[in-house]
Amino acid sequence: MTSRIAVFGTGYLGATHAACMAELGHEVLGVDVDPNKLAMLEAGEVPFYEPGLEEVLRRNIAAGRLRFTASYEEAAEFADIHFLGVGTPQKKGEFAADMRFVDSVIETLAPLLTRPTVIFGKSTVPVGTAERLGARARELAPAGQDVEVAWNPEFLREGYAVKDTLHPDRLVLGVDRHRPGRAESVAREVYEQLLNEGIPFVVTDLATSELVKASANAFLATKISFINAISEVCEASGADVTVLADAIGHDERIGRRFLNAGIGFGGGCLPKDIRAFMARAGELGADQALTFLREVDNINMRRRTRMVELAREACGSLLGANVAVLGAAFKPDSDDVRDSPALNVAGQIQLQGAAVNVYDPKAMGNSKALFPTLTYTSSALDACAGADVVLVLTEWTEFRKLLPSDLEAVVRKKVIIDGRNCLEPTTWRDAGWTYRGLGRP
Ligand code: UDX
């Protein structure tokens, strides 16, 4: 069945959701307050790098199923199914999530709702938010009690956003148990194709659905910090964390994914989400339960410092050294540099007196905007010109494929530090290079 849907927010989450809902055959209106984003999307251009999304966007605009607007009035008139996909960044100077964008959608949209409506929240929010927003929406809307707020958390990964939206591991829906309504049946219509594919559909209460998302991200962050903590012990004992990860990963209870040791996690989700989770648990009087996440965060941040130390060891002193940094995005197949370990390391090294030359296949524009004082080059080879040490900080395929012979003619010293354990040590050592990984002998 075809539904009419409005999606609020056209960032990674909202733009992908809008395009993918149209791909499922629905009529979709994407809504944002940012005229630049809207202009790009209307022209069929994705404002960020996400493989495959542009094709979906263009195909559905051309088919007349997907449009964009800044007008909430138009959205309220157009659809009775609304998805809320705006950002919940970390508040400045504290751990808690900044809810102003989420709140502002409800404050603006609800007064315009004159017909029965379901609002599905997708943003990652502190537990308790959906219930609060539901009450507020019913208070503000002319349709009053006929406005429902349900929660449908999003688990998409950057770089796989289209696949994760159209073929997710699971769908989760939180509904208000105190006021049973239409949310579940509407969700079943919207996601009919996915459900027919047999994708697990977990229907629960609002609080559980909000916590599913927070817990999933906390678990992933913990898994990464676990292997990075073990990596510190490997370094101290001469063991190899990559072999260790393969070995424990064979245990199905553990699993190999998210056990890649390196300079740790970053991006727009994991770091701020574990902090917001701790803050919310504190408000609820359950802060002790999540104090381990503080350690998860500490282990993660320590990896960045360790990388800087390794670079210093390699150069003798960072003062006056020439450092090549390959990778600026927080992970490959993304141009996102929010809380990127790679850029953070590059910045620290420069602040300690080195000349830092950065290259990333996709994240140059965003990096320049965030760290304008670093030197940006137009290729990996240019970044390595005259380098005393080469740091691989994001595991782009382009860097994995680099051969010692590619760089030999341009570097000053044949030293490479693999911040993502993504290179083959013997290839480099056999060619006369000093190779160092994190947690590897
Ligand atoms: C994450 C969650 O995976 C996703 O489900 C949620 O919806 C949003 O947050 P994303 O931020 O796109 O997605 O990135 P992800 O692929 O999870 O990687 C996060 C960070 O962890 C990256 O910096 C990555 O380099 C790092 N990482 C990942 C590791 O250091 N080691 C690993 O083994 C895996």
Side-chain angles (χ1 to χ4, degrees), residues 154-158 213 217 220 224 228 257-261 264-270 330-332 341 395 420:
E154 183 54 62
F155 302 95
L156 68 81
R157 297 160 298 170
E158 292 178 21
K213 173 64 198 233
N217 277 355
L220 294 172
I224 299 169
N228 281 331
R257 295 170 75 187
F258 272 67
L259 281 185
N260 293 326
F265 60 81
C269 293
L270 296 189
F330 84 108
K331 68 173 191 182
E395 66 276 36
R420 292 293 182 180

Side-chain angles (χ1 to χ4, degrees), residues 230-387:
I230 299 297
S231 143
E232 292 183 14
V233 184
C234 285
E235 260 168 44
S237 58
D240 187 334
V241 74
T242 62
V243 179
L244 181 146
D246 288 344
I248 63 172
H250 283 303
D251 186 329
E252 279 181 13
R253 294 169 302 175
I254 296 173
R256 179 61 180 83
R257 295 170 75 187
F258 272 67
L259 281 185
N260 293 326
I263 55 171
F265 60 81
C269 293
L270 296 189
K272 64 113 176 147
D273 285 350
I274 61 170
R275 292 171 194 154
F277 199 16
M278 284 186 266
R280 184 63 184 139
E283 286 168 9
L284 293 167
D287 44 344
Q288 267 196 329
L290 297 188
T291 45
F292 75 94
L293 287 179
R294 196 175 271 274
E295 198 49 38
V296 165
D297 207 350
N298 284 335
I299 293 165
N300 191 53
M301 298 311 273
R302 209 150 67 214
R303 293 286 77 196
R304 304 178 183 187
T305 323
R306 178 67 185 142
M307 190 68 206
V308 177
E309 272 168 24
L310 284 176
R312 183 183 302 109
E313 276 172 29
C315 297
S317 158
L318 286 174
L319 255 186
N322 210 0
V323 177
V325 166
L326 302 184
F330 84 108
K331 68 173 191 182
D333 296 317
S334 169
D335 65 356
D336 197 346
V337 296
R338 286 177 293 171
D339 202 1
S340 168
L343 258 197
N344 180 301
V345 166
Q348 285 192 55
I349 290 178
Q350 190 202 35
L351 288 173
Q352 296 186 29
V356 181
N357 299 306
V358 183
Y359 174 72
D360 187 284
K362 293 287 175 200
M364 301 297 270
N366 287 341
S367 302
K368 281 179 198 165
L370 195 67
F371 264 104
T373 54
L374 295 166
T375 304
Y376 294 94
T377 66
S378 54
S379 71
L381 230 59
D382 284 350
C384 295

Side-chain angles (χ1 to χ4, degrees), residues 56-121:
V56 180
L57 180 78
R58 291 187 174 178
R59 182 159 58 236
N60 286 286
I61 292 174
R65 283 189 298 262
L66 179 58
R67 294 183 296 119
F68 294 91
T69 184
S71 163
Y72 274 61
E73 287 77 10
E74 188 184 349
E77 182 50 42
F78 175 75
D80 299 322
I81 304 172
H82 299 292
F83 282 92
L84 195 160
V86 292
T88 51
Q90 186 175 339
K91 271 191 194 164
K92 296 249 181 304
E94 48 182 304
F95 273 10
D98 185 344
M99 299 304 293
R100 80 174 83 168
F101 304 113
V102 171
D103 288 342
S104 130
V105 172
I106 296 295
E107 296 294 322
T108 317
L109 175 65
L112 304 170
L113 301 176
T114 52
R115 305 182 302 256
T117 305
V118 184
I119 302 172
F120 293 101

